[in-house]
Amino acid sequence: MPRRASTPRPKPARLPYAFWIIWASLLINKAGGFVMVMMTIYLTVQRDLSLSMAGIVVGAHGAGAIGGMLTGGVLTDRIGRKKTIVTSMFATTIVLGVLVVVSNVFLIAALVTVLGFVSVMAGPASVAAIADVVEPEERSRAFNIMYWAQTLGMGAASLLGGLLAMFSFPLLFALDAVSALTAGLLVLFGVRESLKKGDDPVTGEPEPDRGTLGRVLRDRPYMLFVGLTFMQALMFSQTSSTLPLAMKRDGLSETQFGTALACGTVLVVLGQLAVPRLIDRFGKAQVLAVSLAGSGLGFGLLGFASTFAMYVSCVLVWTVASMLAAPPNATIIAELSPGPMRGRYQGVFSVTFAAAAFVAPTAGGFTLQYLGDWHWAIVCLVGVAAAAGHLLTGPARERAAKERAALTAANAVKAA
């Protein structure tokens, strides 16, 4: 990767109190997110569904999340960051409480779809709120710390979820609901609304239209970035869809599945906070290319895995690579999106993960069943193709970010 000119690193500024409240809410919610981590096993073991049918039901969560991300993005820019987060967390608590007592497969699929819709609405709002309260020069560090918290939470959910599933699935659902409720209350009482009404800093127009997505969808540099992120999301959706099925097929237990993912979490906890210092010397497109190619390699190696140690090795490979991607991804969104539209930009970006959560288990259940280990070769190719895409589109994206930053600064001076 070509290096950028190095400059002395100033002492990091203290991140605002509101950031840490949002950070804590994300950590609590992710750490309690047991249900969807173990949903495939729950459906096949407790509800006696086939692998392909379980994949379809889990995929319904991703289908609901697509609408939830877009709705969350619009609400973030319309009613505010705080209200959107709180609404999402409280609705998630209610749906989880109903889902645990339902046994009909069609009702389960419907509720899983609703759960996907309401649970992800907080995502765009959380990222937009962080971008609002953190200074631009500190955003890379803030988003890196946010990713660290999310990964720590998801790792804890994988490890604890595997243990809880061996004793009580109702307890698993109950603790997930409590974590969502706690996260919502924390934001409700600890964070002020950060959405500012006023002139659009890019166009200079008073009270910009916050309700449509057309402007985002016509943003060519941003939408190319979103498309490449979808390919990234397809890879990492394997960890909650086809990976547990592959490990179970090889005779490994739910606890071993959770432990394997937890090993990756330990690596993130130990090393993620050092990532900004490592990658700041390089261009964001080059960092993303290395990250996605390395992640594809890690998933591709699963085709040769059959023991617990081999699965853990693959997890460690893609974890090291994935650690590089979070800061540049979040920074690119903040650079390309104007303040009053951050919710919509983040919502469109987040749809990639929701769409992948639908496509990955739906298609992966069939490809793993009928193609076997060749499924992982396909996943590897997706990662390599996405890496090449970032190298090709990165220069134009950087130019667009600089032009928008200059325009925003000029309009701010003009308004002052």
Side-chain angles (χ1 to χ4, degrees):
M1 293 187 294
R3 296 192 177 190
R4 296 190 299 198
S6 60
T7 56
R9 293 178 60 88
K11 184 179 179 180
R14 179 177 297 179
L15 294 171
Y17 173 80
F19 165 79
W20 292 111
I21 295 295
I22 298 169
W23 177 89
S25 71
L26 289 170
L27 176 60
I28 292 170
N29 187 45
K30 292 295 183 182
F34 310 119
V35 170
M36 288 314 302
V37 173
M38 305 305 299
M39 180 59 74
T40 304
I41 295 174
Y42 170 74
L43 293 173
T44 55
V45 174
Q46 293 290 308
R47 300 305 179 190
D48 298 321
L49 300 185
S50 65
L51 294 180
S52 56
M53 181 58 68
I56 292 174
V57 174
V58 174
H61 181 272
I66 294 174
M69 289 294 185
L70 293 175
T71 302
V74 173
L75 291 177
T76 295
D77 292 336
R78 284 195 164 207
I79 68 174
R81 287 52 160 139
K82 177 179 177 177
K83 290 180 181 178
T84 304
I85 295 173
V86 172
T87 300
S88 172
M89 292 297 98
F90 287 1
T92 298
T93 302
I94 295 172
V95 175
L96 286 170
V98 177
L99 182 58
V100 68
V101 299
V102 172
S103 58
N104 181 276
V105 62
F106 297 105
L107 288 178
I108 291 175
L111 285 170
V112 167
T113 305
V114 175
L115 179 64
F117 183 91
V118 298
S119 64
V120 302
M121 286 169 52
S126 298
V127 176
I130 291 175
D132 289 342
V133 301
V134 175
E135 295 297 325
E137 60 271 14
E138 295 297 329
R139 283 176 185 158
S140 179
R141 181 166 67 98
F143 287 129
N144 189 62
I145 296 173
M146 181 193 74
Y147 172 72
W148 181 85
Q150 289 179 314
T151 304
L152 176 62
M154 288 187 292
S158 299
L159 180 60
L160 296 176
L163 295 173
L164 290 170
M166 297 179 64
F167 297 101
S168 172
F169 274 102
L171 178 61
L172 191 109
F173 278 79
L175 291 178
D176 196 336
V178 169
S179 71
L181 178 62
T182 303
L185 290 173
L186 193 61
V187 174
L188 177 63
F189 294 107
V191 177
R192 292 181 178 180
E193 180 55 57
S194 62
L195 175 62
K196 297 178 180 179
K197 302 291 184 178
D199 294 346
D200 187 325
V202 173
T203 64
E205 298 174 357
E207 287 297 329
D209 177 15
R210 304 174 192 271
T212 65
L213 296 169
R215 181 168 158 187
V216 183
L217 299 179
R218 292 191 298 270
D219 190 333
R220 178 179 171 82
Y222 187 74
M223 292 308 298
L224 287 174
F225 168 68
V226 167
L228 295 173
T229 304
F230 173 69
M231 299 172 73
Q232 172 189 340
L234 277 178
M235 286 193 297
F236 288 100
S237 293
Q238 308 301 315
T239 59
S240 59
S241 56
T242 51
L243 179 62
L245 299 179
M247 294 183 70
K248 195 168 184 64
R249 184 189 60 184
D250 285 332
L252 302 178
S253 68
E254 292 89 343
T255 302
Q256 287 176 309
F257 162 66
T259 303
L261 294 186
C263 289
T265 301
V266 171
L267 186 60
V268 172
V269 171
L270 295 176
Q272 184 66 48
L273 297 182
V275 168
R277 188 178 297 273
L278 175 66
I279 66 175
D280 280 353
R281 298 171 293 171
F282 305 99
K284 289 186 283 291
Q286 288 77 20
V287 172
L288 288 171
V290 171
S291 174
L292 294 181
S295 299
L297 174 63
F299 282 102
L301 291 174
L302 287 173
F304 303 96
S306 58
T307 66
F308 176 67
M310 295 172 70
Y311 275 103
V312 170
S313 298
C314 294
V315 169
L316 295 180
V317 170
W318 78 60
T319 298
V320 170
S322 69
M323 288 164 62
L324 304 177
N329 272 342
T331 303
I332 289 170
I333 299 171
E335 289 176 345
L336 294 179
S337 58
M341 298 181 65
R342 281 186 181 132
R344 282 176 285 173
Y345 269 74
Q346 181 62 39
V348 171
F349 172 81
S350 299
V351 161
T352 60
F353 294 92
F358 170 74
V359 174
T362 304
F366 288 98
T367 55
L368 187 64
Q369 183 173 347
Y370 296 108
L371 298 181
D373 290 333
W374 283 103
H375 166 82
W376 302 112
I378 297 173
V379 177
C380 179
L381 290 176
V382 170
V384 173
H390 274 296
L391 292 177
L392 292 173
T393 62
R397 190 167 60 230
E398 290 291 335
R399 288 194 299 271
K402 291 179 181 178
E403 291 170 358
R404 294 175 195 193
L407 183 59
T408 298
N411 283 332
V413 171
K414 181 180 178 180

